[in-house]
Amino acid sequence: MYRITLCAALAILAQAVFGGSAEEASFATDILKKTDIERGGGLPGIAWDIHALVKTRDSELVRDLSVKACKQDSLAEFTAPPSVKGQKLLLVGRNMWFVQPGLQKPVPISPRQRLTGLASNGDIAATDYAGDYISTLAKEDTIQGEQCYILDLHASNRSVAYDHIVYWVSKTRLVGIRADFYTLSGKQLKSASFEYHNRIDYQGHDWPFISRMTITDPLDPTNVTVMDYSHFRVARIPANDFNVNLLNN
């Protein structure tokens, strides 16, 4: 099977290069490319739904979105509740726009801006960590009973959602299971854990796909945002779906 072969190849490469070298950086990038697929990246096109539950000490609210993505482009549309229905977020390359029914023109925004709860605009898009971050293999550790590679990711440009990410990747499953997000100054913004109970079957290959992202506030454990992913399907997305001039049509 493709997955077994890839895992074995990466394990052999890790044994050969672990210790700080250009080969190690290449190995870290290879891991990132693999984890990106489990979060919607690297496919010819994919669509899914997100149900976001935002919990604070005093309240709860829900947001539903429909998302489609292709390579570095993605379009998310709010489908519920009625107060936000029809609002859209378009990400093309490293540029993002917001559209609201009644607005004449799309409004440029940043992927770093808050979307809902602890989730930023960039959190709802397919990940391209391998393209957006310079990765190094920091060390290995065990978390949630799994042996993990710990990758140290630093943004290669200022337009991405986070300056610095510490990323735990399962050595056996090659999926990201935890991430800590930091500012350029070193302040931790939040932590996230990932679950993979969905699966994708594409061109004869089968692999896990993200089913839940749980984001927590390091300063307030009652502040939690849970995003559940469902109804995912691999399909080619028409280029016009990511045309900013057609968003209001």
Side-chain angles (χ1 to χ4, degrees), residues 72-86:
Q72 287 188 313
D73 304 339
S74 61
L75 176 66
E77 181 173 357
F78 287 89
T79 57
S83 59
V84 296
K85 185 175 182 179

Side-chain angles (χ1 to χ4, degrees), residues 29 32-33 36 71-73 91-95 111-112 122 125-135 153-165:
T29 299
L32 274 186
K33 288 178 180 177
D36 280 345
K71 297 181 180 178
Q72 287 188 313
D73 304 339
L91 178 67
V92 177
R94 294 186 172 93
N95 299 306
R112 297 173 181 243
T127 61
D128 184 26
Y129 283 174
D132 290 333
Y133 291 87
I134 298 170
S135 173
L153 311 183
H154 290 272
S156 58
N157 64 86
R158 285 286 296 164
S159 61
V160 296
Y162 306 103
D163 294 300
H164 177 206
I165 303 172

Side-chain angles (χ1 to χ4, degrees), residues 121-143:
N121 292 332
D123 287 329
I124 54 90
T127 61
D128 184 26
Y129 283 174
D132 290 333
Y133 291 87
I134 298 170
S135 173
T136 57
L137 191 57
K139 57 181 179 177
E140 297 183 11
D141 195 7
T142 300
I143 185 173

Side-chain angles (χ1 to χ4, degrees), residues 7-207:
C7 288
L10 285 175
I12 293 170
L13 181 58
Q15 292 175 1
V17 305
F18 197 90
S21 64
E23 289 83 0
E24 182 183 319
S26 176
F27 172 62
T29 299
D30 288 342
I31 294 175
L32 274 186
K33 288 178 180 177
K34 183 65 182 68
T35 63
D36 280 345
I37 294 176
E38 273 84 358
R39 295 183 59 196
L43 295 169
I46 188 168
W48 65 87
D49 296 333
I50 294 177
H51 176 78
L53 174 62
V54 179
K55 300 179 182 180
T56 65
R57 189 179 303 274
D58 302 315
S59 65
E60 291 187 3
L61 64 85
V62 169
R63 294 286 186 268
D64 290 330
L65 304 95
S66 178
V67 183
K68 59 183 72 173
C70 180
K71 297 181 180 178
Q72 287 188 313
D73 304 339
S74 61
L75 176 66
E77 181 173 357
F78 287 89
T79 57
S83 59
V84 296
K85 185 175 182 179
Q87 294 180 4
K88 299 177 183 178
L89 295 172
L90 174 66
L91 178 67
V92 177
R94 294 186 172 93
N95 299 306
M96 182 171 263
W97 294 267
F98 170 75
V99 170
Q100 181 172 317
L103 288 180
Q104 291 186 340
K105 293 182 179 181
V107 178
I109 58 175
S110 167
R112 297 173 181 243
Q113 288 179 292
R114 188 70 60 88
L115 170 71
T116 184
L118 292 170
S120 73
N121 292 332
D123 287 329
I124 54 90
T127 61
D128 184 26
Y129 283 174
D132 290 333
Y133 291 87
I134 298 170
S135 173
T136 57
L137 191 57
K139 57 181 179 177
E140 297 183 11
D141 195 7
T142 300
I143 185 173
Q144 299 175 11
E146 290 194 65
Q147 290 186 319
C148 295
Y149 301 114
I150 300 180
L151 304 183
D152 202 28
L153 311 183
H154 290 272
S156 58
N157 64 86
R158 285 286 296 164
S159 61
V160 296
Y162 306 103
D163 294 300
H164 177 206
I165 303 172
V166 178
Y167 199 30
W168 283 256
V169 177
S170 166
K171 294 180 66 174
T172 55
R173 296 187 292 147
L174 292 179
V175 297
I177 61 176
R178 173 180 165 177
D180 290 346
F181 303 92
Y182 296 86
T183 64
L184 194 60
S185 65
K187 176 185 176 182
Q188 185 176 354
L189 296 171
K190 60 192 181 185
S191 293
S193 61
F194 310 98
E195 300 175 29
Y196 299 87
H197 299 301
N198 292 323
R199 297 198 70 83
I200 286 180
D201 185 359
Y202 177 67
Q203 293 186 340
H205 303 311
D206 176 81
W207 63 84

